[in-house]
Amino acid sequence: MLNPMQTSEGDAANGHTLLEMMAVVAIVAIMASIGTPLLQQQLARRDVENVARRFIQHAQFARQAALFGDGLTVQIVPVEHWWSRGWQVIQTEIQSQAATSMQRVLLSQGDIAPVEIDERNSGFGGPNGQHKRISFDAFGSAKSQSGGFVANRMVFRHQHARGIERHAILSSGGRWRLCDPHQDSKACR
């Protein structure tokens, strides 16, 4: 007579025991707990990288619009005086008859959370922090609101993962580059 737990060849049952299932679940849980922080770090890096690249694209667009805009000034201005709330690319046309100016929004970027722009370490403000805009003239030069050449750095950070940041750096020739100060501190100078 056959035992119900054995096959005709005498092998063990085809199913798995509860202990085996618990061991597999425990291994999967350990692997997930190890991988989750790494995944969160990778997502935070991606967020910061995307916002920084978007800013560079908008700045390059503003510079091109100024170069080919028949002498019109194009500016990047922060939303509500804070870069972390977003920015707009604005073209300004001066009406000579009425001595007024007309502004047209070319591009707009809203709130960039969970990424923030470090207002203290970014170089696109004036010496006292009051000039928060970048103007591009017909020659493609980036200038501050007071007319001086701007400093060359925007620092992007993640709000929840403080060790993650990128620097968008503007060279004197108008070229942008993006660097990670933790991986290449020499390139981020």
Side-chain angles (χ1 to χ4, degrees), residues 48 51-52 55 115-117 154-157 164-166 168:
V48 171
V51 171
F55 180 83
V115 177
E116 62 187 6
I117 296 176
M154 290 292 270
V155 179
F156 297 86
R157 291 198 173 119
I164 298 174
E165 70 179 43
R166 296 290 184 274

Side-chain angles (χ1 to χ4, degrees), residues 1-180:
M1 177 159 193
L2 290 175
N3 185 347
M5 296 301 285
Q6 293 181 343
T7 60
S8 60
E9 287 85 30
D11 296 332
N14 291 330
H16 300 285
T17 65
L18 180 60
L19 187 59
E20 291 172 332
M21 292 299 283
M22 287 175 59
V24 168
V25 169
I27 291 170
V28 169
I30 290 169
M31 291 174 64
S33 68
I34 291 171
T36 300
L38 297 174
L39 178 63
Q40 289 173 339
Q41 283 257 325
Q42 188 63 30
L43 291 174
R45 274 191 204 97
R46 188 195 68 194
D47 288 344
V48 171
E49 188 91 13
N50 284 341
V51 171
R53 287 189 186 282
R54 193 172 316 125
F55 180 83
I56 289 173
Q57 288 172 344
H58 287 184
Q60 287 173 336
F61 173 80
R63 183 172 184 264
Q64 289 299 314
L67 283 170
F68 299 106
D70 295 328
L72 301 177
T73 300
V74 180
Q75 301 174 337
I76 302 176
V77 296
V79 173
E80 299 174 9
H81 305 289
W82 293 101
W83 288 107
S84 293
R85 293 185 181 156
W87 56 83
Q88 293 180 327
V89 177
I90 297 173
Q91 186 177 42
T92 304
E93 182 177 350
I94 298 174
Q95 305 288 334
S96 60
Q97 300 166 349
T100 61
S101 63
M102 184 172 129
Q103 293 185 338
R104 188 174 87 178
V105 176
L106 302 177
L107 287 174
S108 183
Q109 169 64 48
D111 191 4
I112 58 173
V115 177
E116 62 187 6
I117 296 176
D118 186 348
E119 304 277 339
R120 294 169 293 150
N121 292 325
S122 293
F124 287 115
N128 301 320
Q130 75 275 25
H131 307 300
K132 293 190 175 249
R133 65 180 56 204
I134 307 166
S135 295
F136 293 93
D137 61 17
F139 303 107
S141 301
K143 297 185 178 185
S144 68
Q145 185 175 3
S146 62
F149 288 99
V150 297
N152 61 354
R153 180 177 310 264
M154 290 292 270
V155 179
F156 297 86
R157 291 198 173 119
H158 200 275
Q159 292 173 346
H160 307 297
R162 285 292 177 187
I164 298 174
E165 70 179 43
R166 296 290 184 274
H167 294 200
I169 300 173
L170 175 63
S171 70
S172 58
R175 301 279 184 234
W176 289 87
R177 62 186 167 88
L178 194 61
C179 67
D180 181 353

